[in-house]
Amino acid sequence: VVTSNHVHLLVKDTEERVIVRSMQLAAGRTAQDYNRRKARLGAFWEDRYHATAIETDGHLHRCLVYIDLNMVRAGVVKHPAEWAHSGYLEIQNPPARYALIDLTAVSTLCGYAGVPEFQKAPREWVEEALNRDVTARDDCWSEAIAVGNREYVDKVRAELGNKAMHREVAGLDGAYILREPSRNYAHGLDGKNGVLRPDNTLPWNESAEVTEA
């Protein structure tokens, strides 16, 4: 989903540091292009992004719906199909050219044998969420470094090593999440020296270890 001031991406990590390099490339190219067109200098992005490792099961389905409902939560549209710059719209109506989503890959990740079967699933997930009015901001995605079952989250925590020393594993709404201790959010830390800010973001050049989890 591309909004007026931020972007939500659901991506697969294919090799070491690929997500980090891709984010840096996208941020740099976007800033350069905008500054060139507007004849301006300076930063374009706020300089930080947040990454969450997600287990490829029902947690992935839940994340997909949460992203799809972004503009519904913002009160801009009543259904994700009404937002032109959404993954939901591309999944349901794949463009003939310049597609951004690998439907075969995402179908497989979500546990479906083919694209048609997968296309039906997000429609049902979104309708269920709208019927249940499940559109509020979810701390599971805004504060988590990893989301999944306990075994998966413990695995991510182990891979982070010393960087996970002060991070908590907690149960939240049917999932386990790895996050910073709650006190860090309460005290408004600023992201320096590897400590996350209240919105759980790190500077672009300090996010590699988190993203690779």
Side-chain angles (χ1 to χ4, degrees), residues 2-4 69-80 82-84:
V2 179
T3 78
S4 62
L69 294 176
N70 184 273
M71 299 310 289
V72 177
R73 285 193 300 276
V76 178
V77 297
K78 293 184 177 179
H79 193 281
E82 300 170 8
W83 185 248

Side-chain angles (χ1 to χ4, degrees), residues 82-179:
E82 300 170 8
W83 185 248
H85 312 291
S86 70
Y88 180 90
L89 194 61
E90 180 168 327
I91 288 172
Q92 301 305 323
N93 300 285
R97 301 176 64 188
Y98 308 122
L100 297 176
I101 298 175
D102 185 338
L103 284 178
T104 301
V106 74
S107 299
T108 301
L109 281 175
C110 287
Y112 289 86
V115 171
E117 294 85 353
F118 168 68
Q119 288 174 309
K120 180 182 177 182
R123 293 198 300 267
E124 295 176 346
W125 300 336
V126 166
E127 292 304 322
E128 179 184 0
L130 291 173
N131 289 335
R132 293 170 52 204
D133 195 26
V134 185
T135 57
R137 179 178 179 274
D138 190 343
D139 290 342
C140 185
W141 310 113
S142 60
E143 296 185 1
I145 296 168
V147 179
N149 63 31
R150 183 59 189 257
E151 182 180 0
Y152 175 80
V153 172
D154 283 343
K155 177 175 179 290
V156 172
R157 189 181 190 185
E159 290 176 352
L160 285 172
N162 291 335
K163 289 184 175 293
M165 185 178 301
H166 299 296
R167 292 174 178 172
E168 300 174 336
V169 175
L172 182 65
D173 195 19
Y176 283 93
I177 68 173
L178 178 64
R179 65 181 181 188

Side-chain angles (χ1 to χ4, degrees), residues 1 20 30 32 61 63 75 82 86 134 138 164 167 196 204-205:
V1 172
V20 176
T30 303
Q32 290 173 6
H61 305 167
C63 180
E82 300 170 8
S86 70
V134 185
D138 190 343
R167 292 174 178 172
L196 298 187
W204 292 87
N205 61 356

Side-chain angles (χ1 to χ4, degrees), residues 14-35:
T14 57
E15 63 181 68
E16 186 177 359
R17 294 180 58 81
V18 67
I19 293 179
V20 176
R21 294 196 301 268
S22 298
M23 293 298 293
Q24 291 172 336
L25 177 63
R29 291 287 179 84
T30 303
Q32 290 173 6
D33 183 64
Y34 183 84
N35 285 349

